[in-house]
Amino acid sequence: KKILNNKQQTTMATIPNKRQGGQPINKNGDEQQTHPTQQKKPRQSINAYKGWTVPQHNHSIQRIHRDDDDPQENPLTPQQFYQNYILQRRPVILHGKNLDGVIANFSKLRKSFASFPHLRRKAGHVQVSVEKRQHSAEDSSSPFGNGNEIEMTFSSFLDLIEKGNTDYYLTTQDVRSNRDGRPELMAPFMKLFRDDDDSFPLRPKLMGNLIPQNINLWIGNSESPEGASSGLHHDYHDNLYIVLKGKKKFRLFDPSEAENMYTRGELLKVHPNGRINYTGEDTTAYGADLKSDEAAKASRRKISAEKMLEAAEREVEQGVEGAEDRLELAERAMDEALDAILDAEEDEDDEGEADSDLQSKGGKEVQFDGEDCHSRTVVDKTVKNPNNFSKVEHNLLDNPEEIKRQYPKMSNAKAAFAVVNEGECLYLPASWFHEVTSFGSDHAGHIALNYWFHPPDAEDNFENPYSSDFWPNDFRERFENEKEK
């Protein structure tokens, strides 16, 4: 991608006068009048977030009780969930005896993923990437999140967890492209758990019309009473996080606090729905790359123009009145659509060098066992020290004096907390900063399944939660072509 320079150089025509109430002074020390049009404009905020914000420090995230076995309990419909939480960009915990109304076959999902023998049978032979914690002399319980990964078989990883090892964590796996070059919804490793018995759905009921971006399994261990920290960071997508074993404690900061979080990357903007962009990573509010979005729009214009042209040509052959005029309009629409496609292709050519560099750093050709397809390119790969992580060390988050000294902007940020127990779900909107502390369960580790969804940006539209049909069209075309469930 092109790196966009968000910094504008300015020339100061005057030097501020330190005398109270005085006018600016020039180089010779003489007062001079400043014309209103010459005054420096106030800095425009990069943060346009309009969603729900944490009302006070130590706020507890709302909990909603669900029990889909109880006919007396009023169900929470997808429409209600959208209006009250997704649209408001508000986190919430869902708990209850049976959450089948949240995600189909929830009880079965819990049993299958909490069983290590079942996990071994399904995918024990597969090579997985596992994050290895790097300890320091100052901190023996350093957090995960630095991208320090090693490979081993899934079975070997489970052996380490059963032995109580706390230094390894199964997180997101590399995602490959499909035949059309689109990132797949989940890694081949995750597909093994779904191929035979459809143990989890692609689109959970409660999330309505949100389009899924990725599905992941998270497994680790923590025998310490303090738990294991993920480090403070944010994700780029709406998150439905399901704790299958153990317990998770979330420390949360809403996206309005982004400039106070000391991110590793340089903030470029925060969209109204919370989606955060960094310099060199500019996207739409719903998370599409700007060039990809333009190319998709151009392609759809061409399809529409082709239909117009075919209809107009038939009418001309049939001698329909006014058909010649409609044919002229259709030809003009086709020319404009083809021009738009050429413009998009030229932009891609301009970025070819950057894309090649990206491939050399992150993309690689891989062959997966048991696949009848050709090798695919890894398109979504873990990187070290990612932009979306905070520079603030996890062990300082409960030390207000040290925070104020080292990271003063964070000292006034309001934190909310959410404890998600085994069998409970957390909905977390895109770009909410969070530190996750994980606690194991009877020497059997902690396990979670999560769905990431492209962040919705439409003003108020349950049926079409995105301002563009980019992601709905992409999802439909992808799964129609691949005939996936």
Side-chain angles (χ1 to χ4, degrees), residues 360-375:
S360 67
K361 292 178 181 177
K364 62 181 180 182
E365 294 297 324
V366 288
Q367 183 70 46
F368 297 97
D369 293 338
E371 297 283 343
D372 59 357
C373 56
H374 297 295
S375 298

Side-chain angles (χ1 to χ4, degrees), residues 147-178:
N148 181 44
E149 293 186 336
I150 62 173
E151 290 194 358
M152 62 178 69
T153 65
F154 185 46
S155 184
S156 298
F157 167 73
L158 294 177
D159 289 342
L160 292 171
I161 297 301
E162 288 183 315
K163 291 175 183 177
N165 193 298
T166 62
D167 288 339
Y168 299 89
Y169 193 25
L170 180 78
T171 64
T172 56
Q173 299 297 297
D174 293 344
V175 175
R176 59 182 177 143
S177 65
N178 64 12

Side-chain angles (χ1 to χ4, degrees), residues 114-125:
S115 166
F116 277 24
H118 173 80
L119 296 178
R120 281 193 175 91
R121 284 196 303 273
K122 287 285 189 177
H125 63 287

Side-chain angles (χ1 to χ4, degrees), residues 160-445:
L160 292 171
I161 297 301
E162 288 183 315
K163 291 175 183 177
N165 193 298
T166 62
D167 288 339
Y168 299 89
Y169 193 25
L170 180 78
T171 64
T172 56
Q173 299 297 297
D174 293 344
V175 175
R176 59 182 177 143
S177 65
N178 64 12
R179 293 176 179 85
D180 296 327
R182 294 180 171 99
E184 292 197 339
L185 186 57
M186 65 189 97
F189 163 73
M190 285 297 298
K191 286 189 175 184
L192 294 176
F193 298 111
R194 202 172 173 274
D195 283 346
D196 296 335
D197 55 12
D198 289 346
S199 57
F200 58 91
L202 291 184
R203 303 182 73 173
K205 295 179 183 178
L206 197 63
M207 301 308 288
N209 294 302
L210 295 195
I211 301 298
Q213 184 266 345
N214 199 209
I215 306 173
N216 300 284
L217 188 63
W218 309 74
I219 303 178
N221 205 0
S222 174
E223 296 187 336
S224 166
E226 291 79 25
S229 172
S230 66
L232 181 62
H233 66 288
H234 73 82
D235 300 318
Y236 297 94
H237 303 88
D238 282 29
N239 193 351
L240 183 64
Y241 195 89
I242 306 159
V243 177
L244 303 173
K245 182 178 287 189
K247 181 175 70 175
K248 306 273 184 169
K249 179 182 178 182
F250 286 73
R251 182 194 310 263
L252 303 171
F253 298 92
D254 65 68
S256 74
E257 304 280 13
E259 292 167 280
N260 302 325
M261 293 293 102
Y262 294 87
T263 54
R264 292 172 181 166
E266 181 184 6
L267 286 170
L268 178 64
K269 71 175 72 167
V270 182
H271 292 277
N273 66 345
R275 186 26 161 114
I276 293 176
N277 288 164
Y278 293 94
T279 299
E281 299 178 357
D282 201 2
T283 71
T284 64
Y286 47 88
D289 174 80
L290 298 180
K291 299 302 181 186
S292 297
D293 193 33
E294 288 302 318
K297 288 178 181 177
S299 178
R300 289 194 293 273
R301 285 178 63 183
K302 178 175 177 288
I303 293 172
S304 177
E306 286 173 343
K307 292 180 180 178
M308 287 176 58
L309 194 60
E310 289 175 2
E313 287 173 343
R314 282 197 303 270
E315 289 183 349
V316 169
E317 291 176 0
Q318 295 167 2
V320 178
E321 184 178 354
E324 293 289 347
D325 293 337
R326 286 191 288 276
L327 179 60
E328 184 178 346
L329 288 174
E331 290 173 342
R332 189 182 309 162
M334 176 62 79
D335 289 341
E336 291 173 353
L338 292 174
D339 286 342
I341 288 176
L342 287 174
D343 289 342
E345 290 175 350
E346 287 174 1
D347 286 335
E348 290 179 0
D349 290 341
D350 290 340
E351 294 182 354
E353 184 176 343
D355 290 340
S356 297
D357 184 54
L358 180 64
Q359 290 290 337
S360 67
K361 292 178 181 177
K364 62 181 180 182
E365 294 297 324
V366 288
Q367 183 70 46
F368 297 97
D369 293 338
E371 297 283 343
D372 59 357
C373 56
H374 297 295
S375 298
R376 312 279 181 81
T377 302
V378 172
V379 292
D380 190 356
K381 186 171 175 63
T382 302
V383 297
K384 289 194 174 184
N385 300 318
N387 287 337
N388 58 316
F389 271 72
S390 173
K391 298 174 186 175
V392 180
E393 298 87 346
H394 78 289
N395 55 0
L396 296 182
L397 293 172
D398 287 318
N399 189 337
E401 293 80 10
E402 202 60 27
I403 286 286
K404 190 170 184 178
R405 187 181 73 83
Q406 294 189 44
Y407 305 99
K409 290 194 295 183
M410 180 180 264
S411 60
N412 293 322
K414 298 183 183 75
F417 291 88
V419 176
V420 189
N421 300 301
E422 188 171 310
E424 297 180 346
C425 305
L426 171 69
Y427 166 67
L428 188 65
S431 294
W432 271 68
F433 286 84
H434 52 283
E435 180 215 16
V436 187
T437 305
S438 302
F439 302 89
S441 173
D442 299 327
H443 306 288

